[in-house]
Amino acid sequence: MDFSTTERVLTVRKLAREFLTREVEPIESGIAAHGWSGLDERLAPVRERARETGIFAPHMPEELGGAGLTLLEQAQLSEELGRNLLGHYVFNFAAPDVGNMEVLHAFGTQQQKERWLVPLVRGEIRSTFLMTEPEHAGSNPVWMSTIATRDGGGWVLRGHKWFATAADGASFAVVMAVTDPGADNPYARASMFIVPTDAEGFELIRNISVMGHVGDGWMSHGEVMLHGVRVPDENMLGPSGDGFKLAQTRLGPGRIHHATRWIGVCEHALDMMCRHAATRELSPGRMLGTKQTVQEWIAESRAEIEAARLLVLQTAWKIEQHGEFREDVSLIKFHVANTMQRVLDRAIQVHGALGVTDDTPLAFWFSHERAARIYDGPDEVHKAVVARRILKAYGLDLKSARGDD
Ligand SMILES: Cc1cc2nc3c(=O)[nH]c(=O)nc-3n(C[C@H](O)[C@H](O)[C@H](O)COP(=O)(O)OP(=O)(O)OC[C@H]3O[C@@H](n4cnc5c(N)ncnc54)[C@H](O)[C@@H]3O)c2cc1C
């Protein structure tokens, strides 16, 4: 395996770091005073300048206006961007746009790419992804009520979705809906559609309050009703019945992007932890960092971050070399999310009361990123995927074996 840092990665990381320090950190540090509202407007001119750096939409090919980085290179850049609260959004590398771009690029028709993908890559519009429904367990994605029925030359969508990240202000939604409820294979029952958010019957009911924070724009999570929204045939994304196939394609690299962003969060938190430990006096001349407990937190965090990074880079490398590695992707999903929670928790503890204020990004990350153990599949589901593959090698097939439940 070779995931050494190439010249190109060193260059793009340096470029991103300098840009974020110069252009974004002043906005980031003003969030405590000014709040999260209206960030889209404040960041619009910054995103325009980020586009000129040549590393905007780093995951998209250059001919579309992206930077054309490989998955491994994206992973290493993503960590740099993740150190800043706004880094991924500023460089047009944030969920759900990043996943929607990947799906449109892989499966969109020429017409869909021109209409939706090109402006999305250029950062001129935003998008959202509608799969989860409040009435059904999202961890069992084949169970959904949103239905698309044939109507003349198109489809009519009816359903109720929530946790549609960035729905507020999005121009279109990629929607999962059941098109063939009678299909024997439950994974062949749903299809994906591109639904303009200004279509008649598309209602954003509310931006959901998450951990005491009602975001707007790109920082929101919406509840949406589809009241018989009509879309033409050409708005189906990929073949009919292939919704889950497309969703899986979206989630593989998506989990690499998330995990590397979380490693960036960890690095930022550890840096803050060390600075505070080295400068905070418990009594005149006696630094916090002289306490063995604090030293232990620093050492454990360093070891856990290094291990998490290697695991993610190994997964990105395997995907690049051999295609999808479901077990590895599940491993990094729960492992890195939990590493991040532990490192953030230690960093907050080291900062004392300051750690729970909004004067530093730690409290926001700690509360908001608690969701990392839930979105894109809860820990328990990913652990079951890993254990199932391992136990199969020992002759226990958990798909057919009887368990407690
Ligand atoms: C911040 C955030 C952003 C999100 N963004 C989007 C988005 O943009 N678009 C979208 O469509 N969805 C989005 N989601 C939804 C997310 O994908 C779902 O929350 C997730 O799939 C889990 O579904 P659920 O919430 O319905 O939990 P449920 O499926 O009801 O599960 C509840 C709990 O049960 C346990 N559990 C579930 N299955 C198992 C199992 N097999 N074994 C053991 N325990 C189990 C887990 O502990 C789980 O947390 C987002 C969620 C969050 C929190």
Side-chain angles (χ1 to χ4, degrees):
M1 279 175 211
D2 179 10
F3 26 85
S4 50
T5 311
T6 61
E7 269 306 310
R8 179 149 93 141
V9 167
L10 289 174
T11 307
V12 296
R13 282 185 71 143
K14 183 167 178 286
L15 222 117
R17 192 178 319 126
E18 286 170 358
F19 186 90
L20 291 172
T21 306
R22 191 177 64 246
E23 300 261 2
V24 185
E25 276 179 16
I27 299 178
E28 187 190 34
S29 56
I31 289 174
H34 305 296
W36 289 89
S37 269
L39 260 187
D40 287 19
E41 289 79 43
R42 274 186 272 162
L43 289 173
V46 180
R47 271 166 56 104
E48 293 232 343
R49 290 194 286 281
R51 202 163 61 196
E52 285 154 25
T53 62
I55 50 173
F56 198 70
H59 57 304
M60 283 286 112
E62 286 174 76
E63 62 272 20
L64 276 172
L69 299 191
T70 65
L71 188 58
L72 208 49
E73 290 170 336
Q74 290 167 38
Q76 295 174 77
L77 173 63
S78 172
E79 182 185 326
E80 191 65 51
L81 302 181
R83 291 171 191 235
N84 188 293
L85 282 171
L86 312 167
H88 280 75
Y89 177 64
V90 163
F91 281 95
N92 202 10
F93 197 33
D97 286 344
V98 68
N100 288 341
M101 285 185 233
E102 279 160 353
V103 168
L104 276 164
H105 180 242
F107 300 102
T109 62
Q110 194 52 36
Q111 189 198 15
Q112 289 169 346
K113 287 181 185 173
E114 280 164 23
R115 173 84 177 81
W116 304 108
L117 178 60
V118 171
L120 196 57
V121 174
R122 293 182 58 76
E124 291 161 359
I125 58 171
R126 286 197 295 94
S127 65
T128 185
F129 181 65
L130 270 64
M131 182 154 162
T132 310
E133 302 179 352
E135 296 83 5
H136 299 293
S139 48
N140 177 15
V142 294
W143 194 26
M144 65 173 80
S145 293
T146 299
I147 187 136
T149 42
R150 269 255 156 253
D151 185 64
W155 296 86
V156 175
L157 281 80
R158 287 191 176 78
H160 185 196
K161 301 282 192 183
W162 80 338
F163 273 91
T165 298
D168 180 16
S171 297
F172 72 95
V174 172
V175 181
M176 280 285 274
V178 173
T179 42
D180 185 1
D184 288 341
N185 177 1
Y187 288 94
R189 288 179 192 155
S191 305
M192 263 189 198
F193 293 90
I194 300 169
V195 179
T197 52
D198 61 2
E200 205 181 321
F202 187 105
E203 184 193 0
L204 174 62
I205 299 173
R206 61 169 174 150
N207 287 332
I208 303 160
S209 178
V210 176
M211 296 282 194
H213 169 81
V214 186
D216 58 16
W218 148 76
M219 285 293 295
S220 64
H221 303 288
E223 181 177 351
V224 171
M225 278 306 284
L226 302 167
H227 305 277
V229 180
R230 198 173 292 273
V231 292
D233 269 351
E234 59 260 29
N235 280 34
M236 184 179 275
L237 187 47
S240 183
D242 268 11
F244 286 105
K245 215 155 111 188
L246 268 63
Q248 210 48 45
T249 310
R250 190 179 185 281
L251 288 175
R255 287 173 183 144
I256 300 278
H257 304 326
H258 277 312
T260 47
R261 181 171 59 78
W262 301 335
I263 292 170
V265 171
C266 289
E267 286 289 3
H268 190 136
L270 178 57
D271 181 49
M272 290 185 65
M273 201 189 319
C274 296
R275 275 175 207 274
H276 201 71
T279 53
R280 180 71 165 171
E281 287 175 310
L282 293 177
S283 59
R286 202 160 55 95
M287 298 302 171
L288 178 58
T290 61
K291 295 290 169 196
Q292 203 169 2
T293 311
V294 174
Q295 294 165 14
E296 198 177 306
W297 289 337
I298 289 170
E300 280 178 353
S301 300
R302 184 77 269 153
E304 289 170 21
I305 296 169
E306 295 295 331
R309 177 183 293 112
L310 286 174
L311 201 56
V312 178
L313 291 178
Q314 174 181 277
T315 305
W317 183 87
K318 282 186 182 177
I319 293 175
E320 247 178 34
Q321 300 294 315
H322 309 289
E324 181 65 68
F325 270 77
R326 186 145 182 235
E327 184 183 318
D328 297 76
V329 166
S330 281
L331 262 180
I332 61 168
K333 173 63 183 50
F334 71 80
H335 182 77
V336 187
N338 282 277
T339 299
M340 173 173 59
Q341 282 296 310
R342 280 194 301 276
V343 173
L344 284 168
D345 186 58
R346 292 174 192 138
I348 287 175
Q349 195 68 14
V350 164
H351 281 78
L354 176 62
V356 295
T357 67
D358 292 320
D359 291 353
T360 85
L362 294 174
F364 177 81
W365 270 325
F366 185 69
S367 59
H368 204 71
E369 290 298 356
R370 174 61 181 82
R373 293 184 49 211
I374 297 170
Y375 59 72
D376 279 10
D379 284 2
E380 296 73 19
V381 171
H382 288 291
K383 287 179 183 174
V385 169
V386 173
R388 190 163 62 221
R389 297 276 168 104
I390 295 171
L391 287 174
K392 204 169 174 191
Y394 289 82
L396 178 60
D397 186 349
L398 290 178
K399 275 196 170 153
S400 53
R402 280 192 59 192
D404 291 338
D405 50 1

